[in-house]
Amino acid sequence: MPGVAAEWEISDDLLTFTFHLRRNAKWSNGDPVTAHDFEWNWKRLLTPGTSGEQAPSYNHSVMRVVGAESYLGGETDDFSTVGVKAHDDTTLEITLEAPNENFLIELANFQCLPLHPATMEEVGGQGWLDPDVWVSNGAYVLGDFRINQGAVLLPNDQYWDKDSYHLSRWEILFNDGGTTADLLSYENDDIDITGRIEDDLEAVTTSDVGDELVTSPMNQIRQLVVMNSRDTRLNDVRVRKALALAIDREAVAEVGRPGEPGTSMIPDSVPGGEQVPGVEYDVDAARSLLADAGYPDGDGMPTITVLDYQSSPWVEATAQMWRDNLGIDVTIDNVERGLYMEKRHELHPEGYSGFYAINVSVSSLQIAAQRIVPSAATAGIVGLNLVPPDVAQEVLNAEAAGAPVQQILDVLDANRYPAAQRAIELAREALALTDPQAKEAKLVECAIARDEAFGEIPVLWGGYNLLVKPRVKNLELWPFGSVLSTKGVTIEG
């Protein structure tokens, strides 16, 4: 949908996107919004230290902008080598290193929204978050901001499409009490819309307001991702496949409502997803695979740890199925989110092997393929980067020493287990194709290979869940991280 860009062209080879900005677009202080502002923001986004060291906001495996990975990795400080150029005040050109039919979708994510350059340069650091100096190019400005408490959004009178935004005030309350606190506030009419409900869905669906639960299009996968450990018993693909086969997803969906059984890393709602067969529930086959791998009835298997940052009924149900169906001990390691982010990246010692639980969103076959191609942002993350322990330690040491990203990627490519390497190679091949039919066929092949590698085990499909008061009208949920659109929303009564 057009925003500050009134129109755009995409080259025949799908590599060059040329955006034409509307001349009536203004910042909230009255300055014109220009293509140079966007170029400045891309430079900031890709500057090492600004972008985030361990988890950069820019993900090269998804975006694929020419020169961006080298600039982000500090291999060059010459921004002219990056494929983002303002040709004049209203023309911005972005060039990709490989075709990316979903690039427009990715540009709608938060990291690509611009900040006001002059304000950023004047106040520096986090000073731009102060409502007194806040400058916006969107429909609202920041009227108030209280750390860990909340924010107030007020209309931006300079916005080019202000007549499509009808509410004079949005008040956002930050809540660290999870679903329980959100549900209580909602039932007491303190809030009209909850935040994303990702834990204790049962408390919501069985409440008096359960029929007011709204779910976005189902493109979310609740999955378990294998972690690197010095205990290598999970490195055997037969063991991981056995674990995948031993999950009764129909039963898990009953405790994870409104989630649906997730048999593949590509939900059926995603175009092309119906071509990916996925995995079915088969306890006999699972037990046979474990026996073939040398662990009959689970004898000799380590305790499996599932790392999570919240209490997740679907994780608990899955763990119990592994205990009951395979005779394996399972423990759930619930930690605070910061520690969770650290632990999933480690090489774990003997006695700690297993998976981390995570929700991801996939809106197309191409985005699914992009996610598994390692980049500067994902080089050491496990899953399909499962490698022998000595190689995992080598990668972690190289990352800590600031080794070039390509050196780390070369090590991973030379040492991944075959099933995982095949899925990644198919992803690379698919992303390089331009013929639509050939590309879709290769993307389907890649998706099937990814499922068969079992570096990630899908459990449920779902969407973002919110409670929304019936008086809130025209609220449109998106299957992306920004969750919802404020455009056209009204309050009845």
Side-chain angles (χ1 to χ4, degrees):
M1 298 292 291
V4 69
E7 58 185 7
W8 53 88
E9 299 101 32
I10 305 173
S11 62
D12 291 341
D13 60 8
L14 306 179
L15 295 179
T16 303
F17 291 69
T18 305
F19 299 91
H20 302 284
L21 276 59
R22 60 183 76 246
R23 295 183 181 276
N24 63 337
K26 294 181 180 180
W27 294 94
S28 56
N29 67 351
D31 290 348
V33 178
T34 72
H36 300 286
D37 294 336
F38 280 89
E39 181 181 307
W40 184 95
N41 274 271
W42 272 91
K43 184 175 182 179
R44 177 182 181 274
L45 176 68
L46 296 173
T47 297
T50 300
S51 58
E53 297 298 337
Q54 292 300 322
S57 297
Y58 173 84
N59 185 339
H60 189 69
S61 67
V62 172
M63 302 292 277
R64 312 294 293 275
V65 173
V66 164
E69 187 168 36
S70 296
Y71 192 89
L72 177 63
E75 297 172 26
T76 178
D77 59 3
D78 182 3
F79 191 74
S80 68
T81 61
V82 177
V84 179
K85 304 186 188 305
H87 291 296
D88 53 44
D89 283 349
T90 60
T91 308
L92 181 75
E93 181 182 275
I94 302 180
T95 306
L96 309 183
E97 64 183 22
N100 182 353
E101 294 168 344
N102 296 289
F103 187 65
L104 292 177
I105 294 176
E106 298 300 334
L107 287 182
N109 284 324
F110 70 91
Q111 64 267 29
C112 296
L113 305 181
L115 299 170
H116 185 244
T119 299
M120 294 296 297
E121 291 173 350
E122 178 181 352
V123 302
Q126 299 296 308
W128 58 276
L129 291 169
D130 184 342
D132 291 337
V133 298
W134 177 276
V135 181
S136 168
N137 84 318
Y140 294 92
V141 296
L142 191 62
D144 184 42
F145 179 71
R146 290 154 286 138
I147 295 176
N148 296 329
Q149 295 183 57
V152 173
L153 305 183
L154 302 174
N156 172 12
D157 291 335
Q158 298 285 344
Y159 188 55
W160 65 272
D161 193 26
K162 64 181 180 180
D163 292 340
S164 297
Y165 294 79
H166 308 301
L167 298 189
S168 60
R169 177 184 179 94
W170 285 78
E171 184 169 346
I172 298 122
L173 303 177
F174 300 159
N175 169 28
D176 60 2
T179 296
T180 301
D182 260 1
L183 179 58
L184 181 61
S185 295
Y186 186 85
E187 290 177 324
N188 290 337
D189 285 334
D190 296 329
I191 57 177
D192 294 304
I193 307 168
T194 64
R196 279 167 41 179
I197 298 171
E198 296 185 346
D199 64 318
D200 204 6
L201 270 172
E202 186 176 5
V204 176
T205 57
T206 58
S207 72
D208 292 339
V209 294
D211 60 348
E212 295 172 15
L213 189 71
V214 179
T215 301
S216 72
M218 290 205 172
N219 71 336
Q220 187 181 69
I221 305 141
R222 298 181 183 183
Q223 60 172 307
L224 300 172
V225 181
V226 67
M227 296 184 288
N228 277 307
S229 173
R230 294 195 181 279
D231 188 319
T232 61
R233 281 171 282 189
L234 286 182
N235 293 15
D236 189 329
V237 68
R238 293 172 296 180
V239 173
R240 301 195 304 276
K241 182 176 181 179
L243 293 169
L245 290 171
I247 301 170
D248 182 351
R249 290 165 177 80
E250 295 281 350
V252 175
E254 287 300 310
V255 300
R257 289 181 296 169
E260 296 181 355
T263 57
S264 167
M265 296 303 298
I266 310 292
D268 283 349
S269 59
V270 172
E274 73 284 351
Q275 301 179 61
V276 183
V279 60
E280 300 296 335
Y281 179 48
D282 192 334
V283 175
D284 289 339
R287 290 172 177 165
S288 178
L289 280 166
L290 266 193
D292 288 345
Y295 312 110
D297 300 320
D299 291 342
M301 276 293 295
T303 295
I304 292 177
T305 298
V306 181
L307 177 68
D308 202 354
Y309 60 89
Q310 60 188 6
S311 177
S312 304
W314 69 273
V315 170
E316 295 165 2
T318 299
Q320 192 59 49
M321 288 172 187
W322 286 346
R323 298 183 189 108
D324 295 342
N325 293 335
L326 300 177
I328 295 173
D329 290 331
V330 185
T331 185
I332 299 174
D333 185 12
N334 275 324
V335 299
E336 61 90 19
R337 190 176 180 93
L339 183 58
Y340 163 89
M341 297 296 288
E342 293 177 10
K343 292 185 74 169
R344 72 178 194 169
H345 189 70
E346 296 174 0
L347 171 62
H348 293 284
E350 296 279 354
Y352 193 109
S353 60
F355 302 81
Y356 65 82
I358 192 171
N359 297 352
V360 299
S361 295
V362 174
S363 53
S364 72
L365 285 169
Q366 174 158 316
I367 287 178
Q370 288 170 339
R371 286 187 182 279
I372 68 173
V373 175
S375 69
T378 62
I381 298 297
V382 292
L384 288 187
N385 276 341
L386 185 65
V387 291
D390 59 331
V391 177
Q393 189 62 64
E394 180 184 348
V395 168
L396 292 174
N397 292 343
E399 286 182 336
V405 171
Q406 190 57 52
Q407 175 184 322
I408 296 172
L409 298 181
D410 289 344
V411 171
L412 290 169
D413 277 345
N415 291 280
R416 281 190 202 91
Y417 291 103
Q421 184 64 24
R422 178 171 181 269
I424 289 173
E425 288 175 354
L426 286 170
R428 288 170 173 154
E429 292 174 18
L431 295 173
L433 295 173
T434 56
D435 177 78
Q437 290 184 328
K439 186 168 196 169
E440 179 175 344
K442 187 64 71 173
L443 287 170
V444 169
E445 188 180 355
C446 168
I448 294 171
R450 179 186 186 181
D451 280 357
E452 292 176 347
F454 297 100
E456 304 150 304
I457 297 177
V459 181
L460 291 178
W461 293 333
Y464 300 125
N465 303 292
L466 310 176
L467 282 167
V468 180
K469 293 289 185 183
R471 61 176 171 264
V472 178
K473 302 300 182 182
N474 304 319
L475 187 75
E476 181 180 357
L477 299 191
W478 294 346
F480 308 112
S482 47
V483 183
L484 57 86
S485 169
T486 58
K487 185 174 183 177
V489 175
T490 61
I491 300 291
E492 186 178 78

